[in-house]
Structures are given as C-alpha cells and as structure tokens.
Amino acid sequence: MKKGNTVFFKNKPCIESFSAVCGSKEKEGIIGQYADIALDDDMYGESTYEKAECKMLTTAILQCIEKRGMTEKDVDVLISGDLLNQIISASFAARDYDIPFLGVYSACSTMSESIMLGAMLVNAGYVKRAVAATGSHFASAERQYRYPLELGCTRPPQSQWTVTGAGSCMIGKSGKIKIVSATMGKVCDFGVTDVNNMGAAMAPAAADSIMQHLKDTGTQSDDYDMILTGDLGALGSRIVKDLCWEKGFDISKVHVDCGEIIYKVVENEFQGGSGAGCSATVLNSYVLTKMQAGLYKRILFAATGALLSTVSSGQGESIPCISHVVEMEL
Amino acid sequence: MKKGNTVFFKNKPCIESFSAVCGSKEKEGIIGQYADIALDDDMYGESTYEKAECKMLTTAILQCIEKRGMTEKDVDVLISGDLLNQIISASFAARDYDIPFLGVYSACSTMSESIMLGAMLVNAGYVKRAVAATGSHFASAERQYRYPLELGCTRPPQSQWTVTGAGSCMIGKSGKIKIVSATMGKVCDFGVTDVNNMGAAMAPAAADSIMQHLKDTGTQSDDYDMILTGDLGALGSRIVKDLCWEKGFDISKVHVDCGEIIYKVVENEFQGGSGAGCSATVLNSYVLTKMQAGLYKRILFAATGALLSTVSSGQGESIPCISHVVEMEL
C-alpha cells in the first residue's frame, strides 16, 4: 500500500462535497463565480481580522456539510489548521462543532496535508467521513508576519498577496472524484532567507514532492490533466518547472499554480496570491467544480508550505519548506 | 473498527522505542533518572532558547531511533508539533532528517495526537514505523506566551511551570507495549479566560475525552493501572476528578497527572508542570520504562491542550481545550 513516500488508497476515498468562501479581491478573479460565498466586506461583519478569518473557515466547513445534505453528526472528524499562531482560526472553528478535531500545521500546504490525512483515515475505515479545511486572511497574516496594514509599508516586487478565503472538503466513500494516492512531503531547505520571496523558498519542496510522486507511482507528468501547486507565485512557478526539468521531468505543459491564477491581474499583486487560503479556495471552487463536470480527469494537488516564523527569521534562520501531494481522478 | 469517537487497532501497533531529554529543574524530579539525557545547562550549548528547544527535540528523535538500533532510513514518517508559533521546533527538527514530516498542533496534547496518528498509520499498513515527538522550553514559552524572563514578573498562585524537555517514541509492529485504541478529542470550552489558570480550562476537555473513552470501550477506570493526564496541575487534577465523579465515573484511584508529579516539590512551582514537554517527557521516560518492566499493564494516556494564543486572549476570547486519549497495554 506504500511505495517510496506514497500511500496508495485501495478503497478509493472520494471528495463527497466541497466549499469555498472568498474575499472581495478574490471575488474579482477566477474563483469569484465558483466560490459559494464571495464577500464584499473582508471583515465579514466581525470586529477583528482574526475573527473574520475564523468565521470564513467556520462557514466553509458548514457549507461543505450542508451542500452534501448532512449535519455535523454525519462527520466523524474535522482536520484543520491555519497560519495564525497556535492555529486559532481552526481551533475556534472546531469549537463550534460537536466533531472530534485533529489540529495540523503545514503552513500553506495545510490543505493537502489535511486531505491526505482525511483520505488515510477514511480509506482505513477509521472514520466514515472527514472534513478537511483551511483558510487565511490578508490582514491577519500581514499583521502577524509582516507589518500592520495601518503602517502603510511598501511591498517588494517579489512579494505575494495573502489570499482572504477559506476552503473545505468532505472526504467519504461516495462521489465522482476519487483520491487515489498521496505522497508525504519532506522538509526541504535550500537556504533562502528572504521572507518576501516565498516562491523561491518553496519551489524546491514542491519539485521534490512532485518528482517523488511521479517516481513512486511510475507516472509521467503527461498522465495528469493538471499538476496544481499551491502558492509559488509567478517566480516560484518558473523555478519549480526549471528544477523538475533539470532532473528530467518536464511538468511545464500541465503545471498550474493557484497563486498565479487566483487574481484578475497577477502583476498587480506582484507574484500573485499566497497563504493557506490560496490553494484551499482555488481547489475547492474552480478546480473541483471543473473536475466534477468532467473537464479534468486526473490531477495532482501539491500545495506548498513555508515553515518559518517571525522568530526563526529574526534569529537568522533560513526557510524550511514542505509540500504534500494528493492525486485525484474521476 | 470505530465506536463513538474511539478507533480500535486490530493489528496492535507497538511502542518500539522511546526517549526523553529533560532540563536541569526536571533532572531533580521524578524523571531525572529515567530520561536519556538530563541537561545541566538549559541552553544546551545554543545561543537562543528556541534553538535549545529545537535541539532537545532533534536529540530526542535521534535517541529514539538509535536506541532501537536503527537509522532514519528505517522510519517512514515523523509526526511532530510544539508550542512555538508555526511549530518551528518541530519543522526545524524535521529539516535535519530525511523522513517525510506531518506537522500537527494540539498544544500540550500534541504527544497524544501524534502517537494516535502514528498508531493509525502503522495499523493501516501505510507505514512500517512512525516517530511521534514533541517538546517545550520554559524560557521560550514564557517569552512567547507571557513575559520575557528578564522582566522578572511575579507569577500568580494558580500558574504552572512550562517543562523544559522533549520526548519521542517510535510506533511500529514489534514490542511489548501495544497501542490498543485511541479516542479523538473534541474541543471543549467552559468559558475560562484566565490564561494563568490552564488547569481549570483544560480539565473539562480531559474529563470529556476520558469518559468518552470509557463509554466507547465499555471499560471502567479500575480496568486501568493508571489514567495519565498531561499537565492539569494540582488544581486541574482536582477538577477533572470532580467532573468525572459528577457523571458517575470515579477515576480518583488511578488518576495521575504528569504536571503534578514531574517536579520534586510541586508547591515550589505552584500548580506543577505544564507544556507539551511535560507529558512527553514523563510518558517517554518514567511511565514507559515502568510499563516495559511490567509494573503497569494497562494505561490511558490523555494529554490535554489549551488551544489559545496571545492574540485570542487579547481579543477577549475564552480558552478552548482538547484532549486525545491513547490506550496502551502489555
């Protein structure tokens, strides 16, 4: 059932339902018409950015359950995490549900880690249905990782824009979209220390996990309709394609990066979108909708995470990164 | 394989190896003679508290692998998390190993969440061996959650002392100590807002998960040699026993709290020890050594976590808590 770092799911767990909530800037882009809720006000009626982020996540989880015509009683476990310190959005969202909770942290690759774990638990028969969810908010991320918005700092050209949004999906036993396998990522650190250049830091981790997956499964990039990375942005996307090409894997024809496609004019956000909400919203609105309609038949979802903190950067550390890969097919 | 919130492991995954590293204050207490490494200098030769914490965790993982006569190649997955923002200790420890990494966050219940996940993956045959690990450091926790030590703030009488230490165990297929079942915890929030009184905040979560486990497995507290909670401290331990007693479960004869026993004179540390390293070091030194020697035959390990952050408390939120329960027997 395992080869290399890839676990194969014999019982083919399925995506039973999915949902996304996105912010006002994201509404104007590609996911605007696919998200279940597209906000006009990024505060979402709350008094703080953090509470707005938590509300988006809570809503995405609820939508995902309700779209399947179910209630929280039908869900056996909630697997979630987010970018805020001590994953408070996920923990406080979990407080609202009478569902066992597994907290995870994998920075912006939280969506693929949580789907992978959900598929593992469903495939093994431990649970009937798992909900995987994550999200992020531009303003809470800026305040925590960079500067409060009120300071009005300028942003460097290699920076990305943290996506305001949350995505959620239910993993169970019935559905068109099957989760075939998942590759557990290893921590990669190429020595990048520039916290404004996450794409360059994360690209080696994405390349490592994608190539590991192709080796373990004996597939080629052409076997997939899409190899979807999370939030490498424009620069990071170029790097991941180069790194794979150097090792004999040409993913350029099928590679798509959520961060690169999420905004209407990518250049306005410099390198594009980032954050745990980036791949979570793009996957759980645009991509899975198209897949369910039969437009994509087989995809790889390789969200990427930068495992730094303000303290580790302040102490001169480089940025370790990770990418977990999930394979889905109709 | 699942009843209520409890997953039963048919293939009985085992604790193949365990290891703990502890600080100088912990060395004087009960775990001093059982830990593999007991430090005289809590800086562990590093320049910052955070780096010392990470080094303890890295060492505990290495010791655990080496005590089994193995190398990192024999381990299929590392499951870890810690209290620092963005779990940097775990992520940076994982960077040193060529092992797939699953980041988790469950505050001070990280040890039981990671053992539970490890047992799930081994039992399902996804991996042969998983290493579960976590730790904490008094000084890095004080700086992040409360005040820098240099300020010399006084501590209130209901406070606890964050344990300096790290623990790790390997879950595989051979060994005397078998993991029989695990109960996934739900987030409980009884409205406690006092961040200096974690024991009171966490006790309801511990009571909820322990009672859920007893119900799901059809066992009674007397069936266990020990019901081990993580870091409720002296006050929290009284509360958990009361809460269980009120619902008809008398756990008082077999209940032991890691935070209550870890220090030589518990009163000197007010309510006792806390932190992810508290249950991690006590379990992976004192408890598992005694169990391997046949002194305990069947135990419940119910580490508890307070899922707050400085931001959530600052914004007036109460403290949501969780406890995952792992059942082990010879």
Side-chain angles (χ1 to χ4, degrees):
Chain A
M1 286 174 93
K2 174 170 173 284
K3 195 181 164 198
N5 299 331
T6 303
V7 174
F8 295 88
F9 302 123
K10 273 187 192 167
N11 305 324
K12 304 272 167 71
C14 303
I15 303 284
E16 293 202 350
S17 170
F18 54 88
S19 172
V21 177
C22 76
S24 55
K25 185 195 274 279
E26 291 71 22
K27 187 181 181 177
E28 293 167 20
I30 194 169
I31 63 169
Q33 57 176 307
Y34 296 97
D36 296 289
I37 296 173
L39 303 174
D40 290 312
D41 168 22
D42 286 2
M43 291 301 288
Y44 208 174
E46 295 291 325
S47 56
T48 69
Y49 304 135
E50 288 77 14
K51 288 183 181 175
E53 179 177 325
C54 182
K55 188 174 173 183
M56 287 194 303
L57 189 56
T58 308
T59 308
I61 294 166
L62 185 66
Q63 288 277 332
C64 169
I65 297 172
E66 288 186 347
K67 278 171 79 175
R68 181 79 178 85
M70 291 185 171
T71 67
E72 58 180 330
K73 283 181 191 164
D74 301 305
V75 179
D76 295 317
V77 65
L78 170 63
I79 306 168
S80 185
D82 60 274
L83 299 181
L84 294 184
N85 296 342
Q86 287 73 55
I87 60 164
I88 48 169
S89 295
S91 301
F92 281 82
R95 185 175 67 170
D96 288 347
Y97 297 101
D98 190 34
I99 306 174
F101 171 61
L102 297 178
V104 293
Y105 182 79
S106 194
C108 307
S109 62
T110 299
M111 196 70 234
S112 55
E113 180 178 335
S114 55
I115 293 178
M116 177 171 71
L117 280 173
M120 285 174 167
L121 301 197
V122 169
N123 183 66
Y126 298 143
V127 300
K128 275 188 187 161
R129 273 174 222 98
V131 167
T134 189
S136 55
H137 194 295
F138 172 70
S140 66
E142 286 296 304
R143 173 154 82 174
Q144 180 180 286
Y145 287 104
R146 296 175 193 94
Y147 302 99
L149 295 183
E150 292 79 0
L151 278 178
C153 294
T154 53
R155 310 169 69 233
Q158 68 275 38
S159 72
Q160 295 171 247
W161 188 276
T162 303
V163 165
T164 299
S168 168
C169 60
M170 186 190 286
I171 300 135
K173 283 170 187 163
S174 61
K176 281 172 75 178
I177 303 169
K178 299 192 188 307
I179 302 171
V180 182
S181 70
T183 304
M184 298 180 285
K186 287 188 285 195
V187 176
C188 296
D189 190 335
F190 270 38
V192 174
T193 54
D194 180 358
V195 295
N196 286 304
N197 194 355
M198 295 292 188
M202 294 191 293
D208 186 69
S209 293
I210 291 168
M211 290 189 289
Q212 181 76 45
H213 180 88
L214 296 176
K215 281 180 216 163
D216 291 347
T217 56
T219 53
Q220 295 180 320
S221 58
D222 295 348
D223 294 334
Y224 298 93
D225 294 321
M226 186 193 269
I227 294 179
L228 190 70
T229 51
D231 55 347
L232 298 176
L235 177 59
S237 292
R238 288 221 303 272
I239 299 174
V240 75
K241 281 181 271 200
D242 278 358
L243 288 172
C244 288
W245 182 81
E246 276 176 10
K247 296 276 171 83
F249 296 88
D250 182 6
I251 64 165
S252 60
K253 279 181 206 153
V254 290
H255 174 261
V256 175
D257 182 67
C258 298
E260 225 178 350
I261 62 168
I262 192 169
Y263 291 118
K264 202 174 175 185
V265 184
V266 64
E267 290 76 16
N268 289 0
E269 322 310 336
F270 301 123
Q271 302 299 326
S274 70
C278 182
S279 60
T281 52
V282 173
L283 179 76
N284 290 299
S285 61
Y286 179 79
V287 175
L288 289 181
T289 304
K290 294 247 171 182
M291 202 167 172
Q292 205 145 37
L295 294 173
Y296 305 128
K297 291 197 169 54
R298 193 179 185 190
I299 68 162
L300 275 193
F301 175 57
T304 42
L307 304 170
L308 81 169
S309 82
T310 52
V311 169
S312 70
S313 296
Q315 294 183 356
E317 282 284 3
S318 53
I319 306 171
C321 295
I322 197 163
S323 175
H324 300 291
V325 179
V326 177
E327 180 187 356
M328 301 182 199
E329 66 177 26
L330 286 184
Chain B
M1 287 175 94
K2 174 170 172 284
K3 195 182 165 200
N5 299 331
T6 303
V7 174
F8 295 88
F9 301 123
K10 274 187 193 168
N11 305 324
K12 304 273 166 71
C14 303
I15 303 284
E16 293 202 351
S17 170
F18 53 87
S19 172
V21 177
C22 76
S24 54
K25 186 194 274 280
E26 291 72 21
K27 187 181 180 177
E28 291 167 22
I30 195 169
I31 63 169
Q33 56 177 308
Y34 296 97
D36 296 288
I37 296 173
L39 303 175
D40 290 311
D41 168 22
D42 285 3
M43 291 302 289
Y44 209 175
E46 294 291 326
S47 56
T48 69
Y49 304 135
E50 289 77 13
K51 288 183 181 176
E53 179 177 326
C54 182
K55 189 174 174 183
M56 288 194 302
L57 189 56
T58 309
T59 308
I61 294 166
L62 186 65
Q63 289 276 332
C64 169
I65 298 171
E66 287 186 347
K67 278 171 79 175
R68 182 78 177 86
M70 290 185 170
T71 66
E72 59 180 329
K73 283 181 191 162
D74 301 305
V75 180
D76 295 319
V77 65
L78 170 63
I79 305 169
S80 185
D82 61 274
L83 299 180
L84 294 184
N85 296 342
Q86 287 74 55
I87 62 165
I88 47 168
S89 295
S91 302
F92 281 82
R95 184 176 66 171
D96 288 348
Y97 296 102
D98 190 34
I99 306 174
F101 171 62
L102 297 178
V104 293
Y105 181 79
S106 193
C108 307
S109 62
T110 300
M111 197 71 234
S112 56
E113 180 177 335
S114 55
I115 292 178
M116 177 171 72
L117 279 174
M120 286 174 167
L121 302 197
V122 169
N123 183 66
Y126 298 144
V127 300
K128 275 188 189 162
R129 272 175 223 99
V131 167
T134 188
S136 55
H137 194 295
F138 172 70
S140 65
E142 286 297 303
R143 173 155 81 174
Q144 181 180 286
Y145 287 104
R146 297 174 192 94
Y147 302 98
L149 295 184
E150 292 79 359
L151 278 179
C153 294
T154 53
R155 309 170 68 234
Q158 68 275 37
S159 72
Q160 294 170 249
W161 188 276
T162 304
V163 165
T164 299
S168 168
C169 61
M170 187 190 285
I171 300 134
K173 283 170 188 164
S174 61
K176 282 172 75 177
I177 304 168
K178 299 192 189 307
I179 303 171
V180 182
S181 70
T183 305
M184 298 180 285
K186 287 188 286 195
V187 176
C188 296
D189 190 334
F190 269 38
V192 174
T193 53
D194 180 358
V195 295
N196 287 306
N197 195 355
M198 293 292 187
M202 294 191 293
D208 185 71
S209 294
I210 291 169
M211 291 189 289
Q212 181 76 45
H213 180 88
L214 296 176
K215 280 181 216 162
D216 291 347
T217 56
T219 53
Q220 294 180 320
S221 58
D222 296 348
D223 295 333
Y224 299 94
D225 294 321
M226 187 193 267
I227 294 179
L228 190 71
T229 51
D231 55 347
L232 298 176
L235 177 60
S237 292
R238 289 220 303 274
I239 300 173
V240 75
K241 281 181 273 200
D242 279 358
L243 288 172
C244 288
W245 182 81
E246 276 176 8
K247 296 277 171 82
F249 296 88
D250 181 6
I251 64 165
S252 60
K253 280 182 207 152
V254 290
H255 174 260
V256 174
D257 183 67
C258 298
E260 225 178 351
I261 62 167
I262 192 168
Y263 292 118
K264 202 174 174 185
V265 183
V266 64
E267 291 76 15
N268 289 0
E269 322 309 337
F270 302 122
Q271 302 299 326
S274 70
C278 182
S279 60
T281 52
V282 174
L283 178 76
N284 290 299
S285 61
Y286 179 78
V287 176
L288 289 182
T289 304
K290 295 247 173 185
M291 202 168 172
Q292 205 145 38
L295 294 172
Y296 304 128
K297 290 196 170 55
R298 193 180 184 189
I299 68 163
L300 275 193
F301 175 58
T304 42
L307 305 170
L308 81 169
S309 82
T310 52
V311 168
S312 70
S313 296
Q315 293 183 357
E317 281 285 4
S318 53
I319 306 171
C321 295
I322 197 162
S323 175
H324 300 290
V325 180
V326 177
E327 180 188 357
M328 300 182 199
E329 66 177 25
L330 285 184

